[in-house]
Amino acid sequence: NAGVMQNPRHLVRRRGQEARLRCSPMKGHSHVYWYRQLPEEGLKFMVYLQKENIIDESGMPKERFSAEFPKEGPSILRIQQVVRGDSAAYFCASSPDRGGYTFGSGTRLTVV
Amino acid sequence: AQSVTQLDSQVPVFEEAPVELRCNYSSSVSVYLFWYVQYPNQGLQLLLKYLSGSTLVKGINGFEAEFNKSQTSFHLRKPSVHISDTAEYFCAVSGFSGATNKLIFGTGTLLAVQP
């Protein structure tokens, strides 16, 4: 079992470009969570998805951010028209049910 | 709504000394409690969790934590630390209710073990 796989590990984007972050949950896990860690801060919840459904997006910024978890393939966190303030580490976690998270190693986004 | 407070942003300690990292939480519902460790430029690794039952929880790497409901605390302890324990430690809480099992994290405590 490969664990939660996130790619890329590092992503550099210029202001105004789009960033696409991918997360493949552990085998058998149908619940995916995205968190953002800003420098010198803890992790903040962004969105919770099950296959083809967004369950809770209360932590997502209202504009430019979107997430999906299609029936086939990884979960995608998309950030359109990135700004410097989007620079952060983005972590994905998966679970088989409502407990027992496993985190990925994260994608570190740098906006230049 | 839940919240987590880690009062100490950094805890320096000498190798082989005991350490306690403090965590207090607030919640209007019953909670699950967690401690995670993050090594530089890596993801989060679960150290231990309290779901129910015994209030003293033992985790990996010799760490343990005690759930104290009256004081709303879940402090992390280790009797003798090693250089390799140097990392950021996060306390987190998850509420029982609602459809979302999201974790609310504290701001973290950097454990700096010195030789």
Side-chain angles (χ1 to χ4, degrees):
Chain A
N1 198 337
V4 178
M5 304 301 294
Q6 289 189 249
N7 63 81
R9 289 293 303 274
H10 300 275
L11 181 62
V12 180
R13 284 287 178 266
R14 295 186 184 279
R15 281 178 293 171
Q17 291 184 319
E18 178 180 283
R20 190 172 294 213
L21 289 63
R22 286 177 290 277
C23 169
S24 296
M26 288 184 69
K27 187 175 182 179
H29 287 196
S30 58
H31 301 241
V32 167
Y33 304 78
W34 286 93
Y35 288 79
R36 176 166 63 175
Q37 184 178 31
L38 293 168
E40 308 299 323
E41 293 186 17
L43 279 74
K44 304 289 188 187
F45 169 78
M46 298 183 75
V47 62
Y48 163 43
L49 310 104
Q50 293 181 24
K51 283 286 189 181
E52 300 184 278
N53 288 303
I54 297 174
I55 308 301
D56 182 348
E57 56 181 347
S58 58
M60 288 278 272
K62 298 298 180 192
E63 299 176 345
R64 302 187 296 108
F65 284 72
S66 63
E68 63 178 9
F69 188 18
K71 186 176 180 180
E72 301 291 337
S75 176
I76 305 289
L77 179 67
R78 182 187 302 173
I79 311 172
Q80 296 178 302
Q81 300 175 330
V82 296
V83 300
R84 288 229 171 99
D86 297 332
S87 295
Y90 292 82
F91 290 96
C92 170
S94 73
S95 68
D97 48 36
R98 292 184 63 224
Y101 271 45
T102 300
F103 278 89
S105 297
T107 293
R108 281 152 182 85
L109 172 66
T110 302
V111 179
V112 297
Chain B
Q2 293 96 34
S3 67
V4 176
T5 302
Q6 291 181 249
L7 287 172
D8 305 307
S9 60
Q10 186 168 349
V11 173
V13 62
F14 288 107
E15 193 173 19
E16 297 183 8
V19 70
E20 177 179 84
L21 305 184
R22 296 181 293 169
C23 173
N24 288 87
Y25 70 92
S26 67
S27 177
S28 56
V29 299
S30 296
V31 295
Y32 299 133
L33 292 156
F34 306 81
W35 275 99
Y36 284 86
V37 60
Q38 184 180 33
Y39 298 100
N41 295 316
Q42 294 189 25
L44 276 74
Q45 181 181 7
L46 180 66
L47 275 178
L48 48 79
K49 60 186 175 184
Y50 172 78
L51 304 181
S52 65
S54 173
T55 57
L56 182 62
V57 181
K58 293 192 182 296
I60 62 172
N61 301 343
F63 284 93
E64 64 180 31
E66 184 155 19
F67 170 55
N68 188 320
K69 188 174 182 179
S70 63
Q71 296 186 5
T72 61
S73 67
F74 191 55
H75 301 330
L76 181 70
R77 301 186 185 98
K78 186 170 182 178
S80 176
V81 295
H82 302 290
I83 295 286
S84 59
D85 291 323
T86 295
E88 191 88 25
Y89 291 80
F90 293 97
C91 182
V93 63
S94 174
F96 278 14
S97 66
T100 300
N101 190 30
K102 63 187 178 187
L103 290 173
I104 307 299
F105 284 87
T107 51
T109 298
L110 175 63
L111 176 62
V113 182
Q114 304 163 14

